[in-house]
Amino acid sequence: MAKGSFVSKIYNSGPLILLYYLCISEVDTNFEKIFEFFTLNFQIILIYFWVLKRPEIMANGHIFLAGLINDVVMGFPLGISSLSYLIIIFVGTYVRNKSVNTTIASDWFTFFMAMVFSNLLFFSLLNNFSDLSFSLTKIGYNMFFTLFMFPIFWLIFNLYQLSFIGGRDA
Amino acid sequence: MSVSRDDFSIAFRSALLQRGGAQKFSVLSLIFLALFIFFIDVYGAKFTKPIRGLINDIVYRITFLASAPTRFFPEAKKDLSNYFNVKDENIRLRAEIEKYKLLQLNVEFLSDENKNLQKILETEYFNKNLSNIILAKVLVDKNSPFLKSIIINKGKKAGILKGMPVTKDNYLVGRVVDTNYLSSRVLLLNDLNSRIPVTLDQGAQAILSGSGSANPTLEYLPEDYEIAENINIFASGKDGIFSPGTPIGITSETGDVNLFVDPNQLSFVTVNLNTQTKGKF
């Protein structure tokens, strides 16, 4: 029983461990070597899905901390990724409070809204409060591919949820 | 209608303020905390710099350790491939040694001639003080679509200052933009924020601008100048940061620059402590 509970805890912590690992390690979702513009923001897909489906396994404080780590590793001003992730949490929680049943299509649309708000805040803060400059084309491609890949990861995460965590509204 | 508005405000407030279960902090309180940290970091109060430096040093070390498995597999694959190609490699290297033996005589002659000519011109032989060049290991090389930078394992303790040029095999790869006590961040030449004054083979001056992609571009070339293929690009040194004549890359068919060093394949780099700068970056 205790062993089962421990394994279940590990499975439940999987998404959070993945989020921390993506923020702190060299692993990235930037596939420019394969295709010049193919980059995606995997962290926000991960956060949005789990905040929407199982908020109890993706605590706000952990997401905030992962954002701070991401800022240090990437060289952004501290707190900016956390803010961007918190906007994703906010939209995700709002959608969860307002909806009873969700489908892949509705999640996809609301994810688009969350990503737009989050990126708008992220890049406007960077643009106004730091010396870093960005290519709008790259931001556009990044958003496009993040949105494009969302349903694929939605299915993978749903499968993970059903197989290892136990379904609730998957 | 009013019910719908009530629903909206309840869901909105709940999303911002809800706690309980696994959520020990509300989104709103964390947003305020993130904004506070952001503005403290941006406006750089005096006490935040050493704290930020300490946090950077710790996180970079953890990142280096956490990335070890991702480095192991490509290295193992490379080692295995080298092992199977060792015989062919040996034959090729023997041929190359013969070739270089012949070239060495020529190089010695040219080197003497170069030194003599520099004496005549009374210019400083800028590479003579090799003791001021330090070797650094690349700790973190996280690829980002927006920022092209690396973290090296030498910082203020080793004498590294903001602005110092970073090279690999004497080819320029970037400059130091942020220093901590034990680590530094190097902005690579292909980053969108990188601008370097350069000289082309024929003596034309230009600015090498990072484009965010693998190949930087040349800007502010002389009027009516047409870029041809295979023109060597060197640092002009006009900014007082980079040693003049440091090779950077070669022009391609499309007019952008193929760097001599692949910015995605850096394991060790050298930092030139001779070139001291106190400019604003």
Side-chain angles (χ1 to χ4, degrees):
Chain A
M1 185 70 181
K3 194 183 170 189
S5 163
F6 176 73
V7 172
S8 144
K9 269 188 183 173
I10 296 282
Y11 285 140
N12 281 354
S13 312
L16 198 59
I17 292 168
L18 182 61
L19 178 67
Y20 272 122
Y21 191 71
L22 282 171
C23 289
I24 205 161
S25 73
E26 274 183 359
V27 175
D28 54 61
T29 44
N30 185 17
F31 304 102
E32 282 175 315
K33 283 179 200 163
I34 300 166
F35 173 58
E36 199 183 340
F37 299 107
F38 189 25
T39 65
L40 64 117
N41 194 340
F42 181 69
Q43 280 97 323
I44 64 170
I45 298 178
L46 187 73
I47 293 168
Y48 189 75
F49 179 89
W50 291 105
V51 163
L52 203 61
K53 302 290 178 191
R54 300 296 290 263
E56 66 275 12
I57 65 169
M58 196 64 103
N60 296 346
H62 283 297
I63 296 172
F64 173 80
L65 189 62
L68 288 182
I69 293 169
N70 190 56
D71 290 333
V72 173
V73 175
M74 302 303 292
F76 294 133
L78 275 184
I80 196 161
S81 296
S82 298
L83 270 172
S84 145
Y85 296 166
L86 288 167
I87 296 297
I88 297 283
I89 299 175
F90 169 66
V91 177
T93 315
Y94 176 77
V95 169
R96 201 182 66 242
N97 288 344
K98 286 286 279 183
S99 50
V100 181
N101 284 323
T102 58
T103 60
I104 190 167
S106 66
D107 286 352
W108 200 4
F109 178 72
T110 52
F111 172 72
F112 172 67
M113 302 302 289
M115 185 179 65
V116 167
F117 288 136
S118 161
N119 280 354
L120 199 65
L121 180 79
F122 184 87
F123 289 108
S124 42
L125 279 178
L126 267 189
N127 197 35
N128 289 308
F129 295 100
S130 82
D131 299 330
L132 302 170
S133 48
F134 297 95
S135 152
L136 288 175
T137 320
K138 285 220 156 190
I139 297 170
Y141 277 114
N142 182 268
M143 284 178 70
F144 172 77
F145 284 114
T146 308
L147 186 67
F148 181 73
M149 296 300 284
F150 180 79
I152 296 165
F153 288 111
W154 191 95
L155 291 170
I156 295 170
F157 293 153
N158 242 341
L159 198 66
Y160 178 86
Q161 189 188 353
L162 285 170
S163 312
F164 302 112
I165 300 175
R168 206 168 62 175
D169 59 359
Chain B
M1 196 67 179
S2 64
V3 173
S4 159
R5 220 171 26 234
D6 283 349
D7 276 356
F8 169 78
S9 63
I10 290 166
F12 195 87
R13 258 185 297 160
S14 171
L16 277 176
L17 302 169
Q18 198 175 44
R19 284 166 54 188
Q23 311 300 349
K24 291 190 178 67
F25 307 99
S26 69
V27 173
L28 191 65
S29 62
L30 290 174
I31 286 178
F32 279 124
L33 184 60
L35 278 172
F36 176 73
I37 293 172
F38 175 77
F39 284 112
I40 287 275
D41 193 43
V42 166
Y43 289 111
K46 271 186 181 173
F47 69 93
T48 60
K49 272 199 169 181
I51 297 171
R52 173 84 201 242
L54 184 71
I55 295 170
N56 286 355
D57 277 338
I58 295 167
V59 172
Y60 294 155
R61 255 63 187 180
I62 298 170
T63 304
F64 180 67
L65 290 175
S67 308
T70 58
R71 273 195 218 99
F72 173 77
F73 292 108
E75 284 295 319
K77 191 182 158 196
K78 209 167 123 187
D79 288 347
L80 206 67
S81 145
N82 285 346
Y83 179 76
F84 286 116
N85 293 329
V86 75
K87 195 178 167 190
D88 292 342
E89 185 79 0
N90 190 289
I91 294 166
R92 193 181 61 79
L93 288 173
R94 278 173 189 274
E96 277 199 11
I97 286 170
E98 290 305 315
K99 194 176 93 183
Y100 284 117
K101 271 182 185 169
L102 290 172
L103 283 174
Q104 195 175 5
L105 290 169
N106 201 13
V107 169
E108 275 172 19
F109 167 74
L110 288 172
S111 178
D112 286 344
E113 188 185 50
N114 189 8
K115 278 179 191 167
N116 289 332
L117 288 171
Q118 285 194 31
K119 273 179 198 164
I120 293 165
L121 289 169
E122 292 178 347
T123 57
E124 190 186 356
Y125 186 50
F126 55 83
N127 275 337
K128 67 185 172 189
N129 194 357
L130 291 172
S131 64
N132 278 339
I133 291 176
I134 56 165
L135 185 71
K137 186 178 169 66
V138 177
L139 278 184
V140 184
D141 180 14
K142 186 156 180 166
N143 212 352
S144 153
F146 309 116
L147 276 177
K148 309 286 179 195
S149 64
I150 54 169
I151 312 291
I152 56 171
N153 71 338
K154 296 279 163 67
K156 282 177 191 160
K157 191 186 171 193
I160 293 181
L161 295 171
K162 225 171 171 180
M164 284 180 169
V166 179
T167 54
K168 192 199 170 193
D169 302 334
N170 289 327
Y171 299 126
L172 194 67
V173 294
R175 66 163 194 266
V176 176
V177 287
D178 188 22
T179 53
N180 308 305
Y181 187 64
L182 294 170
S183 59
S184 307
R185 182 177 289 275
V186 177
L187 189 77
L188 299 173
L189 293 178
N190 60 336
D191 185 273
L192 200 64
N193 300 283
S194 170
R195 300 279 185 279
I196 300 215
V198 292
T199 307
L200 280 70
D201 260 348
Q202 299 98 330
Q205 305 288 317
I207 299 288
L208 184 77
S209 302
S211 56
S213 64
N215 306 103
T217 52
L218 290 168
E219 289 178 352
Y220 305 107
L221 281 158
E223 272 181 38
D224 304 326
Y225 185 92
E226 283 190 18
I227 305 174
E229 205 183 343
N230 294 332
I231 297 174
N232 286 306
I233 310 290
F234 304 95
S236 70
K238 286 199 168 178
D239 47 6
I241 300 169
F242 302 106
S243 305
T246 312
I248 294 175
I250 194 162
T251 52
S252 69
E253 275 176 1
T254 49
D256 48 17
V257 178
N258 288 330
L259 298 172
F260 286 134
V261 179
D262 182 353
N264 295 318
Q265 299 291 324
L266 299 168
S267 331
F268 288 93
V269 290
T270 46
V271 185
N272 188 352
L273 304 182
N274 287 325
T275 318
Q276 160 57 352
T277 53
K278 284 179 180 165
K280 195 185 170 193
F281 296 97

